[in-house]
Amino acid sequence: MFDKIDYLQLGNEKQIRAYKAISNLGIMDNLSEYNPILCGTFPLGIDVVGSDLDIIMEVVDFLPYEKGVEALYGDKENFHIKRLLIREVSVVKANFIYDGFEFELFAQPQSVKEQYAYLHMIIENSLIKQFPNIRAEVTQLKIQGFKTEPAFCKVLGLEGDPYESLLNYGRRMGII
């Protein structure tokens, strides 16, 4: 379902605007060799003011990727790109603003469907479908300043590192 962004065209007003912004930038086509997938709050319709468009990718060779992203989007408002370590894995993050949306392009040398952002989204989507009232509870917590995974964990009563706890919950429940 999340492999293509066409579903956004059938969503709420912000999802439709996000679809247009992503399409106008050509990210999904320009970076198709990296298997880009939009993850996070927008696909699930739980975005709040300040939510960004998170696009994850599988990138093994960072240098040509960084050069390509800079050539494509380096002229966008507040563009910056950096390398960092997350859970002892090298990643590249590029951020910029376009058409009123903050974009985060997240690249790491791992299949997109094995990355935390994707797995979390699959779990969260399943929970929203199974328990429709969870959407409002999570959104309310996000408005109060919670990040998405901690908000889901609070609603579910999960303790510990919310990013790991949510994955473990998803495994236990047979979602992933």
Side-chain angles (χ1 to χ4, degrees), residues 8-9 18 20-21 28 77 79 81-82 100 107 110 117-118 124 132 153 156-158 162:
L8 291 173
Q9 296 177 89
K20 290 177 182 172
M28 302 315 234
E77 182 183 348
F79 178 87
I81 190 166
K82 64 182 174 182
Q110 183 175 28
Y118 181 81
E124 293 157 1
C153 287
L156 295 169
L158 302 176

Side-chain angles (χ1 to χ4, degrees), residues 55-111:
I55 299 174
I56 65 169
M57 287 169 269
E58 176 183 2
V59 177
V60 177
D61 192 354
F62 287 149
L63 196 55
Y65 168 79
E66 289 169 318
K67 287 181 180 180
V69 166
E70 190 151 3
L72 289 164
Y73 310 113
D75 64 340
K76 303 301 177 235
E77 182 183 348
N78 291 352
F79 178 87
H80 59 281
I81 190 166
K82 64 182 174 182
R83 289 189 195 196
L84 57 155
L85 278 178
I86 297 180
R87 290 184 176 79
E88 299 182 33
V89 176
S90 292
V91 303
V92 172
K93 283 175 42 172
N95 298 81
F96 57 89
I97 296 172
Y98 175 78
D99 201 16
F101 290 100
E102 183 177 338
F103 282 78
E104 180 170 286
L105 308 182
F106 184 90
Q108 69 176 357
Q110 183 175 28
S111 165

Side-chain angles (χ1 to χ4, degrees), residues 22 26 48 77 86 92 95 104 121-123 129 137 151 165:
I22 295 166
V48 296
E77 182 183 348
I86 297 180
V92 172
N95 298 81
E104 180 170 286
M121 181 175 65
I122 295 303
I123 295 164
K129 285 182 175 178
E137 293 178 59
S165 295

